[in-house]
């Protein structure tokens, strides 16, 4: 009996991102993003990592996009200048921890210990960054677990799981199955900001959208949410600017 072999269709090849550089801004890589939903050209500087994206509408041209970007170079250079510089952690440097600047110093024992404005991290210097990152993740899980349980109990809803990630596009998310995901870097933000993100994601257990009904739940859980959301928009880049390993 002969068997006919079926040819497998190869998966589509994902196009490599296209970058350009403007003469007015040497060294700045601008990623081109063609969007079927965009109605006009647009420039965006990511608050998380300072990357620059130039959006092109479906019927737009690269030539017109470049002309648009060149007309915005003053704004673009100012926006980039406002971004915090990336810092690789080391002894003597400062990082944010629960919203306060703390200086990293060699410590004793097994675990990092905070005393006032100093965070003592024990162990060899070449392992300090890894130990510090583990310390931050542990405390982030503890705080986010507690905050999530608190707000979920207030609205009478259950969640299925909590996952910590190092996401740059969002501080938290909620799946349709009630699984919550957070950026562990929230432990570096003020405690009230971490609480706001937890309340925000818990509210999605009721409303999987950003409708007025959703925001009314957030308002009930965190009446100060506007101030805390503004802090993330203005200062969130500082959390991502702290790096724990060389690129």
């Amino acid at each position: 009996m002969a068997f006919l072999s079926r040819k497998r269709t190869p998966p589509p090849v994902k196009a490599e991102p296209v970058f350009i550089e403007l003469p007015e801004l040497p060294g700045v890589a601008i990623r081109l993003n063609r969007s079927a939903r965009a109605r006009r050209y647009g420039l965006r500087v990511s608050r998380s990592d300072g990357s620059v994206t130039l959006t092109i509408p479906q019927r737009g041209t690269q030539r017109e996009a470049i002309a648009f970007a060149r007309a915005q170079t003053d704004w673009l250079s100012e926006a980039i200048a406002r971004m915090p510089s990336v810092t690789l952690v080391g002894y003597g440097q400062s990082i944010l921890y629960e919203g306060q600047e703390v200086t990293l110093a060699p410590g004793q024992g097994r675990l990092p210990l905070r005393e006032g404005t100093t965070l003592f991290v024990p162990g060899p210097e070449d392992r300090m960054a890894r130990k510090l990152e583990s310390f931050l993740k542990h405390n982030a899980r503890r705080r986010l677990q507690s905050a999530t349980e608190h707000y979920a109990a207030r609205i009478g809803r259950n969640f299925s799981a909590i996952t910590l990630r190092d996401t740059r596009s969002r501080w938290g998310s909620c799946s349709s199955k009630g699984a919550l995901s957070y950026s562990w870097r929230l432990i570096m933000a003020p405690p009230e900001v971490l609480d706001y993100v937890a309340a925000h994601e818990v509210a999605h257990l009721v409303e999987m959208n950003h409708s007025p009904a959703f925001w009314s739940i957030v308002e009930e859980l965190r009446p100060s949410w506007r101030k805390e959301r503004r802090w993330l928009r203005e200062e969130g880049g500082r959390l991502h600017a702290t790096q724990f390993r060389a690129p």
Side-chain angles (χ1 to χ4, degrees):
M1 181 180 295
F3 292 91
L4 297 177
S5 61
R6 294 184 179 180
K7 293 184 178 180
R8 293 185 178 181
T9 303
V13 178
K14 188 175 182 180
E16 291 293 327
V18 177
F19 293 88
I20 63 169
E21 188 174 305
L22 301 179
E24 296 86 349
L25 292 173
V28 177
I30 302 176
R31 183 178 186 273
L32 301 184
N33 176 44
R34 188 170 293 277
S35 171
R37 300 173 62 183
R39 296 185 177 182
R40 58 181 66 89
Y41 298 98
L43 271 172
R44 178 178 177 272
V45 179
S46 171
R47 291 182 179 271
S48 62
D49 59 7
S51 60
V52 182
T53 301
L54 173 56
T55 299
I56 307 175
Q58 193 64 33
R59 296 185 179 182
T61 65
Q62 184 170 320
R63 182 177 179 179
E64 290 177 345
I66 293 174
F68 169 82
R70 297 188 71 173
Q72 304 293 325
T73 51
D74 288 344
W75 172 86
L76 190 55
S77 60
E78 291 176 4
I80 294 173
R82 289 195 298 267
M83 294 298 301
S85 57
V86 175
T87 302
L88 190 64
V89 296
Y91 290 131
Q93 295 178 340
S94 295
I95 67 167
L96 277 178
Y97 177 63
E98 294 187 333
Q100 296 185 353
E101 292 276 357
V102 294
T103 302
L104 303 174
Q108 302 296 323
R110 296 176 54 222
L111 300 175
L113 175 66
R114 177 183 176 183
E115 292 184 1
T117 58
T118 302
L119 182 58
F120 294 97
V121 185
E125 186 169 6
D126 60 348
R127 299 182 183 178
M128 184 272 286
R130 182 177 298 178
K131 180 161 288 191
L132 175 61
E133 185 176 353
S134 296
F135 168 79
L136 295 175
K137 289 179 178 179
H138 172 78
N139 284 281
R141 177 170 292 281
R142 178 178 55 83
R143 285 278 291 108
L144 286 163
Q145 181 80 29
S146 176
T148 303
E149 290 176 354
H150 170 73
Y151 291 118
R154 284 187 56 182
I155 63 172
R157 292 298 178 101
N158 296 319
F159 58 93
S160 60
I162 288 180
T163 304
L164 297 188
R165 305 184 188 278
D166 193 10
T167 52
R168 291 183 174 273
S169 59
R170 58 178 65 183
W171 297 106
S173 63
C174 176
S175 75
S176 59
K177 295 182 179 180
L180 305 179
S181 178
Y182 297 105
S183 168
W184 61 262
R185 291 178 183 267
L186 286 167
I187 193 63
M188 303 166 73
E192 59 271 19
V193 173
L194 180 149
D195 285 344
Y196 154 67
V197 176
H200 182 114
E201 300 311 327
V202 165
H204 281 309
L205 295 173
V206 181
E207 295 285 344
M208 287 294 292
N209 50 56
H210 288 98
S211 64
F214 165 82
W215 288 111
S216 68
I217 298 172
V218 176
E219 180 80 29
E220 179 182 350
L221 296 175
R222 293 290 304 177
S224 56
W225 67 270
R226 291 177 179 83
K227 179 178 67 174
E228 293 145 8
R229 187 188 189 200
R230 184 164 57 250
W231 190 96
L232 277 176
R233 286 182 170 178
E234 296 175 355
E235 304 292 340
R238 297 178 63 190
L239 310 188
H240 289 293
T242 302
Q243 296 299 314
F244 297 83
R245 52 181 62 86

